[in-house]
Amino acid sequence: MPLRHCPSRIYKYFGPQKDCIESLTQGLLRYTPLGAFNDPFEGRPNIIGLTNDEEEKRKFKEKFEQEEFDEALEKILQGVAEENYMRISEEERRTVTIDDFLAAIRSEIKQKKGSLYQEISTSMPGIIKILSQRIDAHIGACSFSEVPDSLLMWAHYGAWHKGFVVEFDAHHPYFHESRSQEDELRHLRRVLYRSSRTSTLLSELSVPELFLVKSEHWGYEREWRVLRGFEDSSQVIPRPDYPIHLFAFPHEAVTSVILGARIQTDTEEHVRRFLQIASRSGNANLKRVFPDESKFVLHIKEETA
């Protein structure tokens, strides 16, 4: 996206967690798979089918009539088999292994070559679930806001105003690292807010529809995102559900740190240490939030030495 279409500054809200502040001090930002976001609709559009294009259908059928089971289909079959295997009774599982179950599905597909397209189309819910899991395993997003003084953002992401906000230079090269005009990763993207959920064919699904569309209920966030592939992460912290993927970012992209109105003394000390390190690479300054005395308004004022 051209710089002229980006805000000059973007903001990221943080709670008072010390491990988070430590990551920032080390020059690391977390990128999160959409499946781990607080909105269950993130990255989960309504897929109504594979395609309406007759030529694509013909090629699809020909491919599998030649019994060319590619890696993608094998993963889909494995996922479908595992999910359905757990639905059979425990007694049946004693006599039928998961490998036997998968082999039976393969055999059934071979016997239904002529109707394979229809079979897969009717299995779209399971396919989409597996597709979402695959995407979550490979791509994450880092979210930012256009505004530093949102009451709701401070309450939700700033831990009831006990956290802080990091202000970034949105024009810094770090936020514009796309490798080509077609590259969907490594650069700022505006989130699109809509009243209705995306409903489309899988063949027509685009990256913006998958990664950048949210309900208009979230419009107050005025969000921008950067997407990155997890293979480029600098550090991975294992977790049973979603591992934490940390990516290096330049401290010089930080322009200020804003302390919440209710920030605790120990949190402030840790944040100030982060700011000291960030300031070595640039001119980042310290600001603080002050609630207005008579209005529902937050004022942000720069602290002087």
Side-chain angles (χ1 to χ4, degrees):
M1 176 175 288
L3 293 181
R4 67 179 180 274
H5 297 307
C6 294
S8 61
R9 296 288 184 266
I10 50 176
Y11 306 89
K12 190 162 184 62
Y13 290 74
F14 293 94
Q17 296 85 354
K18 291 182 180 179
D19 56 346
C20 177
I21 303 173
E22 179 61 28
S23 294
L24 288 170
T25 302
Q26 296 174 22
L28 297 170
L29 277 173
R30 181 181 180 182
Y31 282 68
T32 306
L34 297 191
F37 275 43
N38 54 13
D39 179 1
F41 295 105
E42 288 276 11
R44 293 348 184 225
N46 178 32
I47 306 299
I48 58 177
L50 290 174
T51 179
N52 279 335
D53 187 278
E54 293 301 323
E55 178 65 14
E56 286 190 28
K57 290 181 182 180
R58 183 187 66 77
K59 291 179 180 179
F60 182 90
K61 291 178 181 179
E62 284 182 357
K63 178 177 181 180
F64 292 105
E65 284 172 359
Q66 297 167 5
E67 298 184 1
E68 296 178 1
F69 288 86
D70 62 13
E71 183 182 355
L73 180 61
E74 183 64 24
K75 289 181 179 179
I76 290 174
L77 291 178
Q78 183 72 37
V80 171
E82 291 174 358
E83 182 174 350
N84 286 277
Y85 183 70
M86 297 309 297
R87 293 178 179 174
I88 67 176
S89 67
E90 186 175 343
E91 183 178 350
E92 290 176 303
R93 289 202 295 271
R94 294 195 190 99
T95 59
V96 180
T97 67
I98 182 65
D99 291 334
D100 294 334
F101 203 71
L102 180 56
I105 293 178
R106 286 199 194 97
S107 176
E108 184 177 353
I109 286 179
K110 288 182 180 180
Q111 295 172 12
K112 296 182 178 180
K113 292 177 184 176
S115 60
L116 179 60
Y117 180 86
Q118 183 61 35
E119 290 289 324
I120 291 183
S121 294
T122 57
S123 301
M124 284 306 296
I127 292 173
I128 296 307
K129 179 180 179 180
I130 295 167
L131 177 62
S132 297
Q133 291 172 344
R134 296 287 182 265
I135 292 173
D136 284 345
H138 291 91
I139 298 176
C142 190
S143 299
F144 305 87
S145 174
E146 290 184 16
V147 294
D149 55 358
S150 166
L151 284 167
L152 292 178
M153 294 287 281
W154 273 106
H156 296 165
Y157 303 110
W160 308 284
H161 300 259
K162 294 180 181 179
F164 61 100
V165 163
V166 177
E167 177 187 271
F168 293 91
D169 175 6
H171 293 183
H172 190 280
Y174 173 76
F175 296 107
H176 306 276
E177 295 182 334
S178 54
R179 297 170 183 172
S180 70
Q181 288 192 346
E182 292 74 34
D183 191 355
E184 304 285 1
L185 306 178
R186 295 171 289 274
H187 61 100
L188 273 176
R189 316 286 294 275
R190 187 195 296 272
V191 169
L192 309 172
Y193 300 102
R194 295 181 181 165
S195 59
S196 57
R197 189 176 177 187
T198 295
S199 183
T200 185
L201 295 165
L202 186 60
S203 62
E204 298 176 359
L205 181 62
S206 66
V207 167
E209 293 291 336
L210 181 62
F211 287 98
L212 302 172
V213 172
K214 298 185 68 171
S215 165
E216 61 184 6
H217 293 86
W218 299 94
Y220 69 90
E221 293 184 345
R222 295 170 63 179
E223 183 180 352
W224 290 70
R225 289 178 179 171
V226 178
L227 307 174
R228 292 185 186 270
F230 287 145
E231 70 274 9
D232 295 329
S233 59
S234 303
Q235 183 178 338
V236 180
I237 302 175
R239 272 192 174 183
D241 46 2
Y242 293 102
I244 295 177
H245 293 268
L246 300 172
F247 289 74
F249 76 95
H251 278 141
E252 64 185 35
V254 176
T255 52
S256 73
V257 176
I258 306 169
L259 304 177
R262 296 175 176 171
I263 194 167
Q264 301 295 308
T265 301
D266 59 337
T267 303
E268 180 173 336
E269 290 175 354
H270 285 91
V271 172
R272 283 178 177 273
R273 280 198 288 271
F274 157 62
L275 180 62
Q276 287 176 352
I277 292 176
S279 296
R280 296 172 187 170
S281 302
N283 297 311
N285 54 26
L286 186 67
K287 300 178 182 179
R288 190 183 296 271
V289 171
F290 295 92
D292 190 271
E293 294 293 334
S294 59
K295 304 174 185 177
F296 294 127
V297 174
L298 298 176
H299 299 289
I300 297 177
K301 299 179 181 179
E302 183 175 345
E303 293 214 340
T304 58

